[in-house]
Amino acid sequence: MGLIQKQYDSLRKKIKKSELENQRRAFNETRSRQKQNLPLFDNLEEVKKEVKRIRSESLGNWDLLQKAINRLEINQFKVIPAKDSKEACEIFLKEIGDEKLVVKSKSNVSKEIGLTDFLHQHGIEVIETDIGDRINQLTGGRSSHYTGPIVHLTRYEIAEVLSKHLKRDIPPIPEEEMKAVKEDIESYLQKARVGITGANAISAKEGAVLILHNEGNITRVRTRPKHLIITSIDKVYPNIQDAMLMLTLETYLATGSLFPSFIDIVGGRSKSSDVEKIPFYGMHEPKEVVIILLDNGRRRILDEKKDFSDLLYCIGCGNCLLDCPTYNTVGSSFGTDGMLGGRGVALSSLIRGLRVGVEDGLFLCTTCGLCGEVCPVGIDAGKRLRDLRRMSLENGEISLELDEVKELHRTIDRYGTPYGPMAREEFSSLRKPSSRVLYIGCVGMTTESETAANSMELLKRLDIDFTLIDETCCEAVKGDTGSDPNPKRFKQNIERIKEARGKEVLFLCPTCLKTFLENDEKTPTGLHFETLLSYLIKNFSFTPLTSNSETITYHDPCHLGRGLGSYDGARELLKGLGSKFVEMEHHHQESLCCGAGGGIRAFYPKFSRDMARRRVKEAEEVRSDILLTDCLSCKHNLKQGLPFDSKMKVMTTPEYLLEKIESGKIRFSRK
């Protein structure tokens, strides 16, 4: 049993459906607030572009980092660099000294280095002062969102936790629960002499630290006699204006609000110049402010692994988690504490090592690209995870434990398809010389051969001359799961297309099309490639003969939409037919993955079905009778997401056209 099977078995036992449902409800609330406040957020897209520019120009700018350090020290900060987690924790231990109690606010960097556990092991009590983090601390659980650590818990579960901890009954009423946690935290705030916070940004020009919060606890924590700040070298901004722009964007995406309740700007120790305008430091707390500035592999990424440097553009908003198909299926198990989701897995793999990355979820990502669409600075974690999967397979020690991945690749090498010895429908009777070749793909020859047959029947009905070839797998799944497709397979397909006198190739599978186009860029073939649907729309007119009462919705395949930028072909066709068309909540660039991609269906079949079920549920919510798509893998997986008694039909657009033509409801003509 390899690492992936062990992980799969463990997650199936560990994941609680109720927690996932709670998390999704909370994420929906955030989305709703975003939509509600969007009209009030001026120039959102321009702000995103500007923040991305600032991040790209600031990261790896070591002169800017040094300028920030110099200015901080002028402002009476004690700045201590830490090369890794171990050194950072040791610095904290030294700075805390003889104190046995510290109060702390939420900090992803502190979670990254395992600070709380480290201090506990050395006899220091650490009390989280954020409501959510304090409750998580009592449960021993992991945060489910950067700004909503306990959205996976209900008020009833929280009441149980608090009642047990406080040894008195706490009712499941949010106000009462927060009051109880606040009273619990307050007793420690009054006693503690050391406070630990993170930092959202460092302003180099002013030498200041910016910390945003809503609960007000950070102000209490940072005004202990000694204030310790843990942050990382990728949090530096040129000036306060740039940092504030980022914080505004982060707040909106993380919570849906336009502005947080508080932004604490710490420009050094307290001081007064009331006597003859001579600065005097230490009027009030804190008497000492220390910044532990963590590297932990970041400089190496920025200097030596520049292809991964965009992972450090992250502003910590967690927007990528809200709709991520994997995160909504396995929760915070996709990632690690302080580094959640696909971006977190990628960063963890680089900082902690590839084996840890595999355990954090390196092969759990569908590589659908949705995170890159919703990320304000454009981090496409799926791309980075594909590269890291390749690196893990190239690592001799780790690859020994990736049995499932290597077996999939061996199956493709041996049988020319991911489906192994499964019977393939060859459709050999349709092979003849023609300028037009229909490329079916592995799915169309195995699990969806009926769909392929229906598409070919449509071509015959339309009197389109075409032929088939003896296909070999395009091996796209290899590329998604850490290996390189065999270029000989592509070359072999091209040779067979040309032997059949083909000049244009129509695809039923957008994944195959995307793979062919990518290869064609490297090795031009002189052939024309497009989807079957695109060909039909360009060459035929379809006219309704009767009204259609069925409600139809459309699922955008990841490789067709985000991969090839094609979204509206089927939609325009349906509207032209007078169909009753509705959109699901997630569509176009933000369409949800069906769960078939990235090797998920092969490695984690239950999770793949859960993702499909979530997508089908969106179609049910808009009361759709027909769920259309134009990817055979999507169709196959979406059918797995249908309830047993569902009357909804899952079809491809060519199948829909065939059905309506055969029933006399649509007529067609060549353009």
Side-chain angles (χ1 to χ4, degrees):
M1 184 186 294
L3 276 176
I4 289 178
Q5 186 62 48
K6 290 176 183 175
Q7 180 188 51
Y8 182 42
D9 292 345
S10 173
L11 287 176
R12 290 178 69 183
K13 296 173 184 175
K14 175 183 177 183
I15 292 170
K16 296 180 181 178
K17 185 178 179 181
S18 62
E19 291 188 353
L20 288 174
E21 290 173 348
N22 295 334
Q23 175 184 287
R24 288 173 191 155
R25 277 195 293 270
F27 286 178
N28 286 337
E29 285 292 324
T30 301
R31 280 285 187 225
S32 295
R33 281 196 296 274
Q34 286 178 353
K35 292 175 183 176
Q36 180 182 347
N37 286 326
L38 180 59
L40 302 175
F41 197 114
D42 296 331
N43 305 316
L44 176 60
E45 294 306 315
E46 286 78 4
V47 170
K48 288 180 183 179
K49 289 177 184 177
E50 181 64 8
V51 170
K52 183 176 181 179
R53 181 196 66 77
I54 294 166
R55 296 295 285 150
S56 64
E57 293 178 3
S58 300
L59 284 165
N61 184 339
W62 307 125
D63 290 338
L64 182 66
L65 175 63
Q66 191 57 53
K67 177 182 177 181
I69 292 171
N70 293 342
R71 195 71 226 173
L72 288 165
E73 290 177 337
I74 290 171
N75 289 347
Q76 300 282 306
F77 287 91
K78 180 180 178 182
V79 183
I80 309 176
K83 67 176 183 295
D84 54 30
S85 299
K86 184 176 183 297
E87 185 171 75
C89 287
E90 292 291 346
I91 291 169
F92 269 99
L93 195 62
K94 181 179 178 182
E95 291 296 324
I96 291 169
D98 295 331
E99 296 294 327
K100 295 301 178 184
L101 169 68
V102 299
V103 285
K104 178 179 169 296
S105 72
K106 188 161 47 201
S107 161
N108 290 319
V109 178
S110 73
K111 292 173 183 176
E112 175 186 328
I113 66 175
L115 179 61
T116 298
D117 287 343
F118 175 85
L119 294 179
H120 281 162
Q121 291 168 13
H122 287 79
I124 298 170
E125 187 175 14
V126 180
I127 302 299
E128 297 286 352
T129 61
D130 288 82
I131 299 291
D133 269 21
R134 178 56 175 158
I135 292 169
N136 256 345
Q137 186 175 35
L138 297 176
T139 64
R142 180 184 289 178
S143 296
S144 44
H145 188 268
Y146 297 124
T147 60
I150 55 168
V151 295
H152 57 288
L153 299 177
T154 67
R155 66 183 71 180
Y156 303 97
E157 292 167 317
I158 292 169
E160 287 182 19
V161 171
L162 293 177
S163 297
K164 182 178 179 181
H165 171 68
L166 298 173
K167 296 181 173 56
R168 59 187 176 88
D169 287 336
I170 305 297
I173 301 171
E175 292 82 0
E176 293 295 324
E177 291 169 334
M178 286 188 285
K179 180 181 177 182
V181 178
K182 179 185 173 184
E183 291 173 355
D184 174 57
I185 292 170
E186 182 62 33
S187 62
Y188 296 103
L189 280 168
Q190 292 181 5
K191 292 184 287 186
R193 296 184 56 77
V194 176
I196 298 174
T197 73
N200 297 89
I202 296 173
S203 165
K205 180 181 178 181
E206 294 82 6
V209 169
L210 290 82
I211 317 171
L212 65 82
H213 55 118
N214 286 310
E215 295 178 16
N217 59 305
I218 284 177
T219 305
R220 302 286 306 284
V221 170
R222 71 170 183 79
T223 52
R224 300 305 90 204
K226 188 167 189 174
H227 179 197
L228 302 179
I229 302 169
I230 174 67
T231 192
S232 50
I233 60 173
D234 53 311
K235 298 289 181 70
V236 177
Y237 290 77
N239 52 59
I240 279 183
Q241 287 78 13
D242 289 342
M244 288 292 289
L245 188 68
M246 180 278 295
L247 292 180
T248 303
L249 180 61
E250 179 185 3
T251 299
Y252 170 73
L253 294 174
T255 66
S257 302
L258 293 176
F259 209 73
S261 296
F262 309 98
I263 295 180
D264 284 13
I265 300 177
V266 182
R269 297 166 56 204
S270 68
K271 61 181 181 285
S272 174
S273 300
D274 286 353
V275 178
E276 297 183 352
K277 289 298 179 182
I278 299 171
F280 176 78
Y281 288 91
M283 285 300 297
H284 296 287
E285 314 292 13
K287 302 293 184 184
E288 189 176 3
V289 184
V290 181
I291 296 181
I292 294 89
L293 202 53
L294 181 71
D295 180 342
N296 210 25
R298 288 166 171 80
R299 187 181 289 264
R300 181 173 62 88
I301 292 171
L302 292 166
D303 286 346
E304 301 173 20
K305 295 185 177 294
K306 294 183 179 180
D307 287 346
F308 294 94
S309 62
D310 62 341
L311 294 171
L312 296 173
Y313 288 9
C314 179
I315 64 172
C317 66
N319 204 42
C320 59
L321 305 178
L322 299 185
D323 291 317
C324 169
T326 299
Y327 202 81
N328 277 270
T329 301
V330 302
S332 59
S333 295
F334 185 41
T336 188
D337 218 3
M339 293 185 282
L340 302 172
R343 180 261 177 187
V345 172
L347 195 59
S348 175
S349 300
L350 292 168
I351 291 175
R352 300 177 177 178
L354 288 167
R355 193 185 194 285
V356 174
V358 173
E359 293 171 347
D360 288 339
L362 184 54
F363 286 87
L364 271 167
C365 176
T366 68
T367 68
C368 72
L370 178 57
C371 56
E373 289 290 342
V374 301
C375 173
V377 291
I379 303 170
D380 186 344
K383 289 182 180 178
R384 304 295 162 242
L385 292 175
R386 279 194 293 268
D387 293 337
L388 289 162
R389 288 172 178 180
R390 182 173 288 106
M391 290 164 61
S392 69
L393 285 168
E394 291 171 351
N395 184 301
E397 185 178 341
I398 298 169
S399 67
L400 291 174
E401 298 185 78
L402 294 174
D403 300 343
E404 297 81 10
V405 184
K406 291 187 295 182
E407 180 58 32
L408 175 63
H409 295 171
R410 282 193 295 265
T411 297
I412 296 171
D413 291 337
R414 180 178 177 185
Y415 296 101
T417 170
Y419 295 94
M422 179 185 290
R424 285 166 44 120
E425 179 60 66
E426 300 293 342
F427 305 107
S428 54
S429 63
L430 296 172
R431 295 178 189 173
K432 63 185 188 314
S434 174
S435 64
R436 191 173 299 108
V437 173
L438 181 67
Y439 190 91
I440 298 171
C442 294
V443 180
M445 289 186 172
T446 52
T447 57
E448 288 298 325
S449 59
E450 184 179 351
T451 304
N454 288 336
S455 298
M456 285 182 270
E457 182 61 29
L458 176 64
L459 291 175
K460 294 175 189 175
R461 286 268 184 169
L462 299 176
D463 196 26
I464 298 172
D465 182 65
F466 72 97
T467 188
L468 307 178
I469 64 166
D470 182 14
E471 299 176 8
T472 60
C473 183
C474 73
E475 300 195 352
V477 70
K478 271 191 176 182
D480 282 346
T481 54
S483 184
D484 291 316
N486 185 348
K488 292 181 180 178
R489 291 273 171 85
F490 174 70
K491 185 179 179 182
Q492 191 176 50
N493 277 319
I494 298 302
E495 288 172 352
R496 291 175 181 174
I497 290 168
K498 291 184 175 181
E499 285 170 4
R501 302 180 190 174
K503 294 183 179 179
E504 60 180 331
V505 188
L506 309 180
F507 289 83
L508 298 183
C509 172
T511 304
C512 294
L513 171 57
K514 182 171 178 286
T515 306
F516 269 69
L517 288 171
E518 289 168 351
N519 278 284
D520 195 54
E521 285 184 11
K522 301 172 189 172
T523 311
T525 63
L527 298 172
H528 175 72
F529 305 117
E530 67 178 318
T531 63
L532 171 58
L533 179 62
S534 173
Y535 173 83
L536 295 175
I537 291 172
K538 284 194 300 185
N539 292 279
F540 288 85
S541 296
F542 298 94
T543 307
L545 297 175
T546 62
S547 60
N548 187 359
S549 61
E550 295 169 316
T551 300
I552 307 172
T553 193
Y554 189 77
H555 165 75
D556 295 280
C558 300
H559 286 153
L560 181 62
R562 288 185 286 268
L564 296 172
S566 178
Y567 294 100
D568 293 324
R571 289 178 169 88
E572 291 172 2
L573 175 66
L574 292 168
K575 290 173 183 176
L577 292 172
S579 303
K580 185 180 177 183
F581 181 78
V582 293
E583 292 285 11
M584 290 181 276
E585 180 182 353
H586 296 87
H587 54 86
H588 285 79
Q589 285 88 343
E590 295 191 12
S591 175
L592 295 184
C593 179
C594 73
I600 300 298
R601 188 161 64 193
F603 304 145
Y604 309 96
K606 180 187 181 302
F607 302 153
S608 177
R609 289 192 299 273
D610 290 345
M611 293 177 199
R613 176 66 193 129
R614 182 183 175 216
R615 187 57 168 157
V616 167
K617 192 172 182 181
E618 285 203 339
E620 292 172 342
E621 287 169 353
V622 295
R623 300 185 178 182
S624 180
D625 300 305
I626 299 174
L627 173 54
L628 281 190
T629 188
D630 283 298
C631 170
L632 273 61
S633 288
C634 289
K635 179 190 172 184
H636 182 74
N637 223 48
L638 290 168
K639 288 192 299 185
Q640 310 306 308
L642 288 174
F644 180 73
D645 58 350
S646 176
K647 295 180 181 179
M648 184 188 299
K649 289 193 288 188
V650 182
M651 311 173 73
T652 63
T653 308
E655 283 186 297
Y656 176 76
L657 289 173
L658 176 65
E659 181 184 274
K660 298 307 176 187
I661 289 171
E662 288 184 332
S663 62
K665 295 181 178 179
I666 289 177
R667 71 179 173 202
F668 61 89
S669 61
R670 283 187 178 270
K671 290 183 178 178

